[in-house]
Structures are given as structure tokens and as C-alpha cells.
Amino acid sequence: MTRVLVQLKLALLRNGLRQSAGRRAAYIASVTVVLLIAALQLLGLVLLHGTAHAATVGILLTALLALGWAVLPLFFPSGDETLDPTRLVMLPLRPDPLVRGLLVASLVGIGPLFTLCLTAGAAYAAARGPAAAVVAVLAVPLTVLTCVALARAVAAANIRLLTSRKGRDLAVLSGLVVAIGAQLVNFGAQRLGSAGGVGALDPVADVLRWIPPASAIGAVSATSSGSYGPAAVQLLLCVAGLAAVLVSWRRSLTRLMTSPDGSTIQAAEPGRRGRRTGSGRRLLPAGRTGAVMERGLRYVWRDPKTKAAWVTSLAIGLIIPVLNAAQGTGSVYFACFASGMLGIQMYNQFGQDTSAFWMVAMTIASPRDAYAELRARALALLLITLPYATLVTVVTTAMLGAWADLPEVLGLSFALLGAMLATGAWSSARFPYSIPQEGYKNVAPGQAGLAWISIFGGMVAAALLCAPVLALTITLHASGADSWSWLLLPVGAAYGAAAACLGLRLAAPRTAARLPEILAAVSKG
């Protein structure tokens, strides 16, 4: 069975590359980039050999690799078709041979090769002497097998979730993890630089060297220093960790192949569905406004692409000001990132409807109807944005201790939000584009130019609209009239409200006149 599964993996890879020249080019380019990165990492680890903190770097790198193997299947379940064991549930296969075959087949690919290069480099960097070299020969394959088995076990345990709607939501939110991770890595690197280098991570490595699979590299380091007893224990811990992962994987496979899935179980009780009917609009206005607001909020909660955009904006709008404030290098004005990130959600309002926009278009017979539609969408956005922008501003101000600047920063945030609502409404009518429902693309092919013009052109226009409030802020500080800066709160709020109302009024006639063009543009995905 092992040979059959390996041949199946190679056949899937070969047939996938035969589909198109573009796919072959993308695969070759990805292999080239991955191998280049692996070679550079391996060279760096080789150069670390014999240095004081080589073992620390190797242990931390191994732990990071294991974390990546454990997390990535949750966000990219479709990246490897063989990760889905439910494709084999109808075959008369026993769990033990299946685990062995799938484990060997999983070693075929770019990921295992990349992991092998980095693990070998980490082991070489930590090894000193013949005994450590022997332990490294055992530690490297143990680490690679543990990482691959961990990914398989996680995928098998969560495959029912990953193939459901909530699982697809999780996959779409992978961009959020990348965005937050980049900010945290930047924050950690700055902290590490101020703490005196890699030596500050030695306490972390001392803990991770006892956790599989990093314990295998810890065994190499312990052997290099002559601590053969701890080295044997750390190596046994890695073997025990691999065995535990394989047992968990086997149990998940057995459960998948013997238990029914959701398609054979009634999805929900009629009573529960009945109790939920009509309970969502108690706090919203009556009539068209409430209906459109509820639809927009349901998109935020249920549509994967809309949810991903909102959660990413909420996270980045909080992370940038808070992390900069935590480092002591931030400014209270960074709190305006919250309004800016959430204001982007007003752009391309009709694109999230895709081809279903025709039902909305049937309800728009005049500029007045278009104004009511746009106003309700803006109110749904404000329902989340206003309290959130206020909260981020207060938190940032508290962390920096700049309470005197709170009114003017709130005023600037409200003015920016109003300007983005105005330009977003106009841009939605003038430059609509489709958002594909499948895959990870946020723009349909051939509409990338429209998306750039819509978002970045609108942001530039919003910045120009905020110029009067910015000029007033600069004037007050330049003239020494800081005691009057509290006036920026009512001025900014009133200016933002006026700009939003004016923008909606100007966008409504264009929306009503361009309904066929908008429908054609948003239906291309």
C-alpha cells in the first residue's frame, strides 16, 4: 500500500502540472524560490557552527518549523489534495498500513525538502564532535517525520471542519494570520535588538529543548557539551512525541472511516430554526434601512471574503497603534489607522453582492432609492466603526498617557471616517468590480486596475477631503493655542458627518444611472 500511495501522490502532482502552462510555471517558480530560501538558510546555519548561540537558533528554528506544520493545514487545506483522508473512506483499508503509506507519501513534496534542509542545518550548527554527529543523524529524520506526521494528524482531526463553511472561513482568514504575524515578528525583532541579541532567547530555548521535535536538536546540543544523560532523554522525548502523534492520527483515521458525517445527520431541529426567525432586527430601524443594514451585517458574519476583510481591518487597525505605543515609539495619531482601515470597507459596496446584485438593482428606480440603499450600507458600517475607532483611540491615548490629545485625535478620526464614507460611496458607483467567491483572489481577472483606482484613488481623495481639519489642527499647534484643541472633536465630527452626507447625495444619482454597468461589473466573478 505504501508504494501505491506514493505513486498516487506522484500521479496527482504530475497530472496537476499537465493542466496548464501557467500552473507549471507557477510550480517551477515556487520550487525555485523555496530551494533558494532553503539554501540561504542552510548556509547561514552552517556559518553559525561553533558559535555560542548556535544551539539556541537551531532549537528555536525547529520549534518554529513544527508550529508551521501544525498550523498551515488549518489555513490551506486545499494546498495538498492528499491531506483529505475522507477520499479513502469507501475503500477497505486498515488504519495501520494507511498511516504508514500516507506518512511516506507525505515526504514527497517541497515542504518536506525545505524542512529537511533547515533541520539538517540546525543539527549541524549545534553539533560538535563525533558523538554529536551520530545523534544528529538520528535527530534529523526524527524531526522531519514528526513535523510531517503532526500536519497529517491535525488535518485528519479537523478535516470535517475544514471542508465545511466554517472551515473555508478559517482558510480565508489566513491573510489575517500573516498580517498579525508580520507585526508581531517586527515587534519581536525590535525587542530582541534592544535586549542585546540572540542571547536573550536562551531561556526560551532552554524550555523548548524539552518539547518535541525541538528536543531532538536539544539532544544534539547536549551531546556536544558532554551531557549524555539529558541528550538520551531528549531524544526519547522526540521518539515518544512522534509515537503519540501517530497514535492520534490513527485514531482520527479510524473515526473518519467508521463514523457518519454531517450529510447523514439532520442539520438542525425545526424548533431551533423557528426560534431564530425574526430575532435579528430588533435593534435596527424599520423599513428599507433596517433590511439593508441587516443584510450588510449578515455579509460580515457569514460571507467568508467579507468576514476576512473586516477581521483583518479590525486587527491591523488595533495592532499598529497599540504595538507602536507599547514600544514607546508611537504617536497618538496612529489611532487614526482604525478609522482608515475600517473606512476601506465602504469601497466596492456592490462587489460583495456579486451576481445577486440584480435583486438589489430591481429595488432601485430613482436616485432617492439609491440614496436610501447607500445610506443604509453606510449606517451598517458606522454601527461597528464608530465605537471601534473610539475604543482604539482611547486605548492608544491611555498607553501613551496623552489624554490632552484625545479630543483632537477623535475629531480627526471622525473626519477621516466621514471622508472615506463619502469617497467610498462614489467609488462604489464609479469603479465597481467583482469579488470571486472561490479561491483566495479578491479581484476578478481583468479588473485589477479598477480595484486599484477604486481603493487607492478613493483614499487619496479622502485625504484631500480631510485637508481643512488637518489645516485647523496644524494651525492651532503652530500658534500655541493648544488649549483650544478640544474644538477639533465637535468640528471633526460635524465635518465628517457633512462630508459623508454630501458624498452619499452625490453618489446616489450616479448609482441609479449606472445600474446596468454596475451589475455587469460585479457579476464577472
Side-chain angles (χ1 to χ4, degrees):
M1 184 184 297
T2 300
R3 184 181 63 180
V4 172
L5 289 174
V6 172
Q7 291 175 345
L8 176 62
K9 179 68 175 287
L10 293 174
L12 287 172
L13 178 61
R14 182 173 58 252
N15 294 337
L17 295 178
R18 287 177 177 175
Q19 290 183 3
S20 66
R23 186 162 183 171
R24 287 193 298 272
Y27 182 80
I28 293 173
S30 63
V31 170
T32 304
V33 171
V34 169
L35 291 180
L36 179 61
I37 295 174
L40 293 176
Q41 293 281 348
L42 181 59
L43 178 61
L45 290 169
V46 169
L47 295 176
L48 278 176
H49 179 69
T51 60
H53 303 291
T56 297
V57 174
I59 291 170
L60 293 175
L61 180 62
T62 305
L64 187 61
L65 281 173
L67 179 63
W69 276 96
V71 171
L72 286 180
L74 297 176
F75 295 108
F76 302 99
S78 60
D80 185 356
E81 293 175 322
T82 63
L83 278 176
D84 187 359
T86 59
R87 299 173 182 264
L88 307 173
V89 296
M90 298 303 294
L91 300 177
L93 303 176
R94 303 186 69 85
D96 291 334
L98 187 59
V99 167
R100 288 194 299 269
L102 289 176
L103 181 60
V104 175
S106 300
L107 296 175
V108 178
I110 305 175
L113 179 60
F114 180 80
T115 305
L116 177 62
C117 292
L118 266 63
T119 306
Y124 178 80
R128 294 194 303 272
V134 173
V135 175
V137 172
L138 299 175
V140 171
L142 267 178
T143 302
V144 175
L145 287 174
T146 303
C147 290
V148 173
L150 182 60
R152 284 287 185 172
V154 171
N158 297 277
I159 194 63
R160 294 271 170 83
L161 169 65
L162 297 177
T163 53
S164 65
R165 181 178 64 83
K166 291 183 178 181
R168 291 191 292 270
D169 293 355
L170 184 65
V172 172
L173 291 177
S174 58
L176 171 63
V177 175
V178 174
I180 295 178
Q183 293 295 330
L184 294 179
V185 167
N186 180 39
F187 179 69
Q190 293 183 7
R191 286 289 184 181
L192 186 61
S194 62
V198 182
L201 297 176
D202 287 340
V204 181
D206 291 338
V207 175
L208 292 177
R209 68 173 62 243
W210 296 97
I211 301 176
S215 60
I217 306 301
V220 177
S221 174
T223 305
S224 299
S225 60
S227 303
Y228 299 111
V233 173
Q234 289 168 340
L235 203 60
L236 288 175
L237 282 175
C238 190
V239 173
L242 175 59
V245 170
L246 292 175
V247 170
S248 173
W249 183 13
R250 183 187 184 281
R251 289 180 178 177
S252 298
L253 286 176
T254 303
R255 184 171 60 252
L256 283 171
M257 303 181 100
T258 57
S259 61
D261 60 7
S263 62
T264 61
I265 302 175
Q266 188 174 359
E269 299 177 2
R272 292 181 62 185
R273 290 196 299 266
R275 286 195 298 269
R276 292 171 61 182
T277 303
S279 60
R281 292 181 53 190
R282 294 174 182 172
L283 301 178
L284 300 178
R288 176 173 188 147
T289 300
V292 174
M293 290 179 67
E294 182 181 5
R295 184 185 65 214
L297 295 175
R298 285 183 183 272
Y299 278 153
V300 174
W301 182 251
R302 293 184 176 182
D303 180 65
K305 292 293 181 70
T306 307
K307 181 188 294 186
W310 269 94
V311 175
T312 303
S313 297
L314 289 169
I316 296 178
L318 176 65
I319 287 174
I320 290 179
V322 168
L323 284 186
N324 281 279
Q327 297 177 62
T329 59
S331 168
V332 69
Y333 297 101
F334 280 178
C336 294
F337 266 100
S339 293
M341 293 300 302
L342 294 181
I344 294 176
Q345 304 308 316
M346 189 63 188
Y347 293 83
N348 194 35
Q349 274 291 306
F350 308 124
Q352 64 186 359
D353 297 340
T354 61
S355 58
F357 178 70
W358 71 269
M359 292 187 289
V360 177
M362 291 181 64
T363 66
I364 299 177
S366 65
R368 182 176 182 180
D369 294 334
Y371 174 75
E373 176 75 22
L374 290 171
R375 182 187 60 187
R377 291 176 183 246
L379 288 175
L381 188 144
L382 288 173
L383 198 62
I384 302 174
T385 305
L386 275 178
Y388 186 79
T390 303
L391 175 63
V392 171
T393 304
V394 172
V395 170
T396 306
T397 304
M399 294 181 67
L400 294 174
W403 292 106
D405 297 328
L406 178 61
E408 67 176 280
V409 177
L410 275 177
L412 287 172
S413 295
F414 294 157
L416 175 62
L417 181 58
M420 297 196 75
L421 290 178
T423 57
W426 188 88
S427 177
S428 297
R430 183 62 183 85
F431 303 108
Y433 58 91
S434 179
I435 302 177
Q437 294 301 297
E438 300 296 334
Y440 301 99
K441 293 183 178 180
N442 290 320
V443 182
Q447 293 186 328
L450 283 174
W452 281 90
I453 294 174
S454 173
I455 296 177
F456 290 98
M459 292 172 64
V460 171
L464 294 176
L465 278 178
C466 290
V469 182
L470 289 173
L472 177 59
T473 304
I474 296 172
T475 301
L476 288 176
H477 286 289
S479 61
D482 294 341
S483 59
W484 293 95
S485 62
W486 62 269
L487 286 174
L488 288 169
L489 176 56
V491 169
Y495 184 85
C501 291
L502 180 61
L504 294 174
R505 291 286 183 185
L506 294 176
R510 182 171 292 272
T511 301
R514 300 189 73 249
L515 284 178
E517 292 85 350
I518 296 174
L519 180 58
V522 302
S523 301
K524 287 186 177 181

